[in-house]
């Protein structure tokens, strides 16, 4: 049973995710800032991934509902973001992903977005998982920083039992002391085996320092390539990398985002690692 599940694939708008398939990228800025900014980053990523030869799903969040401080910017909101996601899909032909935080968001977001993402802090919220599954859209669940990798089998089961086989799981580090995350690379094959779902490695949130700046999170973006290489060498379906033209001016998660100008070099290296790890030649 597990061997069959481990080979499961998920197809999203012409992009295929599978633990034994060529690497796929989920990328974009942490928070959606404006129409022009979204189209700028999505267009650049489309050009970069075409040159590198890797599939792309564009991501951005319309609401950062779990900010460290109540005074932090949360984003442009659902009503403003959905037309922008629709334009990214129509103009650029890219599938798109965004986070959902509440049950009532699932249906309207699913009318536009291809992948509904469950944030790590909400990964065990059964009603939210079921509501997302019932839209029929692919559901990507971030593994909570408080969970063991094998605990994600129950999370994936909730989605499948709601009638939706389109589930992916994402590793984003585990809490280790205060304001620190660590990535256990054993988690990647463990989740592949126990969930039977495509496994994504979130290279940018894994270097985040939650609440590390007191009223906001810190991060160590210099370690994104280190962890991404390690994960791809182990073997994953995809990598999740947040990027921005000027991360130091970004409204959210700037310290752990990769500068857009560095993405092509990083992806070129990761694709080479992926081919070696999977024997793709």
């Amino acid at each position: 049973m597990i061997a069959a599940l481990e080979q499961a694939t998920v197809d999203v708008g012409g992009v295929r995710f599978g633990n034994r398939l060529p690497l796929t990228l989920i990328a974009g800025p942490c928070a959606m800032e404006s129409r022009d900014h979204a189209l700028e980053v999505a267009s650049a990523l489309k050009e970069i991934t075409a040159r590198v030869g890797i599939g792309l799903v564009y991501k951005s969040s319309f609401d950062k509902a779990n900010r460290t401080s109540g005074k932090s910017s949360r984003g442009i909101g659902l009503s403003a973001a959905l037309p922008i996601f629709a334009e990214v899909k129509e103009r650029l032909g890219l599938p798109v992903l965004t986070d959902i935080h509440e049950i009532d968001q699932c249906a309207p977001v699913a009318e536009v977005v291809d992948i509904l993402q469950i944030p790590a802090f909400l990964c065990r919220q059964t009603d939210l998982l079921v509501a997302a599954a019932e839209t029929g859209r692919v559901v990507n669940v971030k593994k909570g920083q408080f969970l063991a990798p094998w605990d994600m089998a129950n999370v994936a089961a909730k989605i499948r039992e709601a009638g939706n086989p389109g589930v992916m799981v994402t590793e984003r580090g585990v809490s280790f002391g205060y304001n620190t995350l660590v990535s256990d690379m054993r988690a990647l094959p463990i989740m592949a085996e126990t969930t039977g779902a495509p496994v994504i490695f979130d290279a940018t949130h894994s270097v985040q320092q939650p609440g590390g700046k007191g009223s906001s999170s810190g991060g160590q973006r210099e370690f994104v390539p280190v962890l991404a290489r390690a994960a791809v060498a182990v073997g994953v379906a995809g990598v999740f990398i947040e990027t921005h033209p000027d991360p130091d001016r970004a409204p959210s998660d700037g310290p752990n985002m990769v500068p857009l100008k560095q993405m092509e070099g990083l992806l070129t290296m990761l694709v080479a690692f992926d081919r070696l790890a999977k024997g793709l030649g």
Side-chain angles (χ1 to χ4, degrees), residues 108-123:
V109 172
E111 292 180 5
V112 176
V113 171
D114 300 279
I115 302 177
L116 304 184
Q117 182 164 277
I118 308 296
F121 289 133
L122 300 175
C123 69

Side-chain angles (χ1 to χ4, degrees), residues 7-19 21 24 114-115 137-139 160 164-169 196-198 237:
Q7 299 180 41
T9 61
V10 170
D11 297 295
V12 185
V15 176
R16 298 185 70 207
F17 291 88
N19 295 323
L21 297 179
T24 297
D114 300 279
I115 302 177
R137 292 296 194 182
V138 170
V139 182
R160 293 192 178 108
N164 188 341
V167 57
M168 305 194 299
V169 293

Side-chain angles (χ1 to χ4, degrees), residues 214-229:
S215 61
S216 64
S217 293
Q220 296 175 297
R221 73 169 70 103
E222 66 270 25
F223 292 118
V224 170
V226 176
L227 294 184
R229 286 197 304 265

Side-chain angles (χ1 to χ4, degrees), residues 10-15 17 24-29 32 38-39 41-43 45-46 55-62 81-100 108-117 135 137-140 168 240:
V10 170
D11 297 295
V12 185
V15 176
F17 291 88
T24 297
L25 173 68
I26 299 172
M32 185 174 284
L39 289 170
V41 177
S43 297
L45 286 171
K46 181 178 180 179
L56 171 65
V57 173
Y58 177 77
K59 73 80 48 187
S60 200
S61 299
F62 60 84
L82 287 183
I84 298 172
F85 281 124
E87 188 170 0
V88 169
K89 290 180 61 174
E90 182 178 352
R91 289 185 56 177
L92 301 178
L94 295 176
V96 296
L97 171 153
T98 198
D99 305 276
I100 52 171
V109 172
E111 292 180 5
V112 176
V113 171
D114 300 279
I115 302 177
L116 304 184
Q117 182 164 277
T135 68
R137 292 296 194 182
V138 170
V139 182
N140 181 40
M168 305 194 299
F240 179 109

Side-chain angles (χ1 to χ4, degrees), residues 28-108:
C30 177
M32 185 174 284
E33 298 177 28
S34 68
R35 170 187 175 274
D36 290 346
H37 186 263
L39 289 170
E40 173 193 356
V41 177
S43 297
L45 286 171
K46 181 178 180 179
E47 293 174 3
I48 290 168
T49 53
R51 289 194 293 268
V52 173
I54 184 173
L56 171 65
V57 173
Y58 177 77
K59 73 80 48 187
S60 200
S61 299
F62 60 84
D63 180 20
K64 303 301 295 182
N66 60 350
R67 298 303 302 272
T68 302
S69 169
K71 298 179 181 179
S72 299
S73 171
R74 289 184 51 166
I76 67 173
L78 178 60
S79 60
L82 287 183
I84 298 172
F85 281 124
E87 188 170 0
V88 169
K89 290 180 61 174
E90 182 178 352
R91 289 185 56 177
L92 301 178
L94 295 176
V96 296
L97 171 153
T98 198
D99 305 276
I100 52 171
H101 301 87
E102 301 173 5
I103 294 170
D104 291 345
Q105 293 174 346
C106 293

